Amino acid sequence: MKKIISVLALILCFAFFPVQMIEAHPGRTDANGGHTCRTNCEKWGLQYGEYHYHNGGGGSSNSQVKKSAPSKPAAPAQRKILPSKTIVAVDNATVYSAPSLDSVVAATLWYGFEIKASGTQLEFISIDQGYISKTVVTSYTPITPKTVKIQGEKGYFFSTSSAESPGRGYAVRDALVQVVGEHGDWYYGSTVDANGKVLVGFVSKSIAY
């Protein structure tokens, strides 16, 4: 009877013995589930001193970790550049029927009138109304409309983006300027002058901001 009990106890011990310990080669695993082979390594297809894992551990020490390609830096946002606008730069601009000052006058345009050029002829710009001299036009780059304020005692407005061009008047301190364009250090916009009349032209950014 004692012999039968001993046999049953031995069977139960093997039944609950961890399978991995039966199948694996000698050696305890560490906290990562692996260890270094030091005994009968060639039997298990390993090299002496080779670290490896058991039961889905961290993976073979010889396995290569795939590195993701470095991401390319995002391209800097680019400011959308709008085409410049050409406008009449004098109070009364003569439009001729031909590209000549001796031709018949076809029309007269006012300051700030936008020129829609269809071509050029020598010193003239071809437009729907006829031909206008390049000497009586100027340009600016459109911007998102905004409001600035005259910061000095007087804010002088000029016909073009130059203090050498004909003056168009001035606005007093704290007058608000509705800006729609710029050209270098100048704003193009409108305000109310010292006499309460609408004033349109170029004002320096150093005096209106």
Side-chain angles (χ1 to χ4, degrees):
M1 186 66 178
K2 290 183 178 181
K3 185 175 182 180
I4 295 174
I5 294 175
S6 298
V7 172
L8 289 175
L10 184 61
I11 293 174
L12 289 174
C13 287
F14 278 103
F16 289 102
F17 198 83
V19 176
Q20 65 268 27
M21 293 302 295
I22 296 174
E23 295 179 350
H25 59 82
R28 296 181 179 179
T29 57
D30 57 21
N32 295 320
H35 66 162
T36 301
C37 182
R38 301 190 186 281
T39 306
N40 298 327
C41 299
E42 65 278 359
K43 178 180 178 181
W44 308 101
L46 300 171
Q47 295 181 358
Y48 285 90
E50 180 179 350
Y51 184 88
H52 58 283
Y53 295 90
H54 286 273
N55 299 328
S60 172
S61 60
N62 294 328
S63 64
Q64 296 181 352
V65 179
K66 294 183 179 179
K67 296 182 179 180
S68 58
S71 58
K72 295 182 179 180
Q78 296 183 349
R79 178 183 176 185
K80 184 177 181 182
I81 301 177
L82 298 175
S84 62
K85 285 189 176 183
T86 300
I87 60 172
V88 172
V90 296
D91 285 331
N92 296 290
T94 302
V95 180
Y96 298 92
S97 58
S100 171
L101 297 178
D102 297 327
S103 62
V104 177
V105 175
T108 300
L109 303 178
W110 57 92
Y111 181 85
F113 183 90
E114 183 178 355
I115 299 297
K116 299 289 187 181
S118 57
T120 57
Q121 295 287 334
L122 298 176
E123 298 300 320
F124 288 83
I125 299 174
S126 176
I127 60 177
D128 291 342
Q129 295 86 344
Y131 297 87
I132 186 171
S133 173
K134 294 179 180 179
T135 62
V136 297
V137 300
T138 189
S139 64
Y140 68 85
T141 300
I143 62 173
T144 301
K146 64 179 180 178
T147 302
V148 296
K149 183 184 294 185
I150 300 298
Q151 304 294 337
E153 291 299 323
K154 294 180 179 180
Y156 288 94
F157 282 67
F158 296 88
S159 299
T160 69
S161 56
S162 170
E164 301 300 321
S165 64
R168 298 189 54 78
Y170 68 88
V172 297
R173 180 187 290 275
D174 294 333
L176 299 179
V177 183
Q178 306 302 317
V179 176
V180 296
E182 62 184 4
H183 190 149
D185 295 329
W186 297 77
Y187 280 131
Y188 176 74
S190 62
T191 186
V192 176
D193 67 12
N195 298 316
K197 296 181 180 180
V198 175
L199 175 62
V200 180
F202 290 84
V203 60
S204 174
K205 291 180 181 180
S206 65
I207 199 70
Y209 51 90

